[in-house]
Amino acid sequence: MTPEPAPSTFARTSVEWTVSQYSGGGGNCVQAAVKDGYVSIGDSQNPGRLPQASTPDEAKAFLRGAKDTDFDFPLHL
């Protein structure tokens, strides 16, 4: 695997982003992409904000935890 991309060099336009169907156009536009073997999570409403890069294993662990409600407590869901 290549080294994690430096956020300052990450070109948001060089990847194909997928926007969450739950974003709803209300300013909560979460998007994801894969670049150089890393999963990136970004905010389409704030293109100046750098995306978060994770390894595929880190992304899988987060998604599994989210599906199992591990992260509901901070959001009071």
Side-chain angles (χ1 to χ4, degrees):
M1 184 173 290
T2 59
E4 184 173 339
S8 60
T9 63
F10 189 91
R12 295 177 67 88
T13 58
S14 68
V15 296
E16 185 176 332
W17 291 97
T18 300
V19 178
S20 169
Q21 66 180 341
Y22 296 99
S23 292
N28 300 319
C29 296
V30 176
Q31 56 188 6
V34 176
K35 180 179 176 157
D36 298 331
Y38 285 87
V39 178
S40 296
I41 304 296
D43 178 358
S44 66
Q45 294 294 316
N46 294 293
R49 184 179 290 167
L50 298 172
Q52 175 67 43
S54 302
T55 66
D57 286 340
E58 291 167 340
K60 286 178 193 175
F62 175 78
L63 289 173
R64 287 182 179 139
K67 288 177 182 179
D68 286 343
T69 69
D70 292 351
F71 306 113
D72 287 359
F73 68 92
L75 302 174
H76 305 291
L77 300 175

